[in-house]
């Protein structure tokens, strides 16, 4: 079987997909890319690679690259996903896929036009314990789901050392909440109502965050879930 050629854009968190691809018999790392040339050289040394470029255009023109893994700062994802699709590449983009909805329609249309696969990578659902939990659910071992509780609590003070994390464009609403929201919607896809609260913590305030970093939400399943539930109850 021909191995899929991976191009990686953004070599901070992008390090993880390089490592995964090098440990897989299905992938080869065709090219890696970052504006930071020193980081590029460091990753080449770390993984024994010699295919670094500082030019995304060069990576997109590389015929060995079938799939582009996107690991640039959140506000750049939409533009990079569009560029990759226009160059006829499949896309794996880390979460948060988009950090607002302003270009969502454009991205959906470009994906449809290109016929290429777009996958949001590195969300919690791909972690081993969550995949195992899902297998138990699909086997029927958990019975019918009435409610899902998901959380994502972490000390992210280290993350706020990144310059872009303190800009107006960076939002934990997408960056952090995407993990538990994805898990909830995996099990209860028909959410129609959401209510909640947000606030900016002392840590976030002191470290210069522009948007809230603390959220609590309750969401309600829509009529499809309630109808299915009622039908099951009537049948019993
Ligand atoms: N899945 C997860 O749980 C998880 C964890 C950490 C980070 N992330 C996400 O990964 C992404 C990257 O985060 P990070 O921590 O690596 O940030 P980072 O700032 O450390 O790294 C981003 C890299 O992208 C490079 N870059 C920026 N613009 C570029 C461009 N136009 N062309 C080429 N390279 C460019 C920068 O030079 C930098 O090296 C973010 O979207 C972040 O939210 C996801």
């Amino acid at each position: 079987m021909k191995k899929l050629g991976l191009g990686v854009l953004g070599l901070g968190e992008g390090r993880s997909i390089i490592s995964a691809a090098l440990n897989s018999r299905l992938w080869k790392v065709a090219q890696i890319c970052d504006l930071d040339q020193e980081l590029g050289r460091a990753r080449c040394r770390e993984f024994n690679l010699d295919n670094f470029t500082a030019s995304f255009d060069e990576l997109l023109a590389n015929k060995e690259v079938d799939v582009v893994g996107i690991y640039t700062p959140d506000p750049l994802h939409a533009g990079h996903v569009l560029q990759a699709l226009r160059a006829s590449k499949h896309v794996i983009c880390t979460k948060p896929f988009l950090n607002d909805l302003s270009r969502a329609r454009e991205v959906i249309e470009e994906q449809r036009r290109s016929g290429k696969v777009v996958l949001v990578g590195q969300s919690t659902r791909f972690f081993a314990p969550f995949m195992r939990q899902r297998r138990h659910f699909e086997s029927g071992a958990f019975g019918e789901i009435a409610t899902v509780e998901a959380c994502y609590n972490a000390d992210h003070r280290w993350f706020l050392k990144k310059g872009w994390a303190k800009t107006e464009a960076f939002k934990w609403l997408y960056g952090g909440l995407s993990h538990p929201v994805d898990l909830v919607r995996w099990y209860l896809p028909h959410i129609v109502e959401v209510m909640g609260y947000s606030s900016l913590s002392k840590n976030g305030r002191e470290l210069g965050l522009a948007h809230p970093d603390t959220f609590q939400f309750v969401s309600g399943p829509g009529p499809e879930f309630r109808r299915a539930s009622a039908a099951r109850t009537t049948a019993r």
Side-chain angles (χ1 to χ4, degrees):
M1 185 168 54
K2 180 187 172 290
K3 288 187 173 190
L4 277 171
L6 177 70
V8 182
L9 180 71
L11 302 179
E13 183 62 24
R15 182 186 177 283
S16 55
I17 201 169
I18 298 174
S19 170
L22 290 172
N23 281 291
S24 166
R25 58 190 171 78
L26 304 175
W27 293 85
K28 67 169 188 278
V29 178
Q31 196 153 35
I32 60 174
C33 176
D34 199 295
L35 293 178
D36 181 343
Q37 306 220 11
E38 201 169 312
L39 182 61
R41 283 192 287 274
R43 289 287 177 255
C44 283
R45 280 195 300 279
E46 180 181 1
F47 292 110
N48 201 20
L49 296 169
D50 62 356
N51 47 14
F52 170 73
T53 174
S55 158
F56 189 31
D57 286 338
E58 189 182 316
L59 183 143
L60 292 177
N62 184 341
K63 297 216 167 4
E64 294 290 301
V65 173
D66 303 301
V67 183
V68 181
I70 296 174
Y71 295 84
T72 47
D74 306 355
L76 304 181
H77 291 175
H80 287 146
V81 169
L82 286 166
Q83 274 182 272
L85 289 173
R86 285 176 187 142
S88 287
K89 308 291 185 190
H90 300 289
V91 170
I92 298 176
C93 180
T94 187
K95 52 68 33 197
F97 182 59
L98 301 176
N99 75 327
D100 64 32
L101 298 181
S102 58
R103 303 189 77 181
R105 200 169 295 281
E106 200 184 341
V107 170
I108 289 171
E109 280 164 10
E110 194 55 42
Q111 184 277 325
R112 286 189 183 140
R113 190 206 57 76
S114 70
K116 295 292 164 183
V117 173
V118 175
L119 174 73
V120 183
Q122 284 171 299
S123 195
T124 323
R125 71 158 72 183
F126 300 114
F127 299 175
F130 293 92
M131 290 170 71
R132 199 159 51 238
Q133 184 183 52
R134 182 75 189 187
R135 279 200 300 276
H136 288 318
F137 164 67
E138 284 171 357
S139 75
F142 291 158
E144 188 173 309
I145 293 210
T147 176
V148 176
E149 197 173 312
C151 62
Y152 180 69
N153 296 319
D155 180 351
H156 273 107
R157 281 174 286 184
W158 64 274
F159 194 79
L160 297 177
K161 295 204 173 88
K162 299 174 197 291
W164 62 270
K166 288 180 201 162
T167 64
E168 187 62 27
F170 174 73
K171 302 168 189 117
W172 275 126
L173 179 63
Y174 291 82
L177 212 64
S178 55
H179 284 294
V181 167
D182 181 51
L183 290 175
V184 170
R185 297 195 66 234
W186 202 16
Y187 287 93
L188 295 177
H190 307 298
I191 299 292
V192 291
E193 286 172 330
V194 179
M195 64 83 72
Y197 299 94
S198 69
S199 59
L200 181 57
S201 71
K202 182 169 174 289
N203 281 343
R205 204 166 46 247
E206 285 175 1
L207 289 164
L209 256 183
H211 293 289
D213 57 2
T214 307
F215 305 88
Q216 278 91 33
F217 288 103
V218 178
S219 53
E224 283 173 57
F225 178 83
R226 286 200 286 265
R227 259 199 306 276
S229 232
R232 278 192 293 272
T233 310
T234 314
R236 263 184 223 131

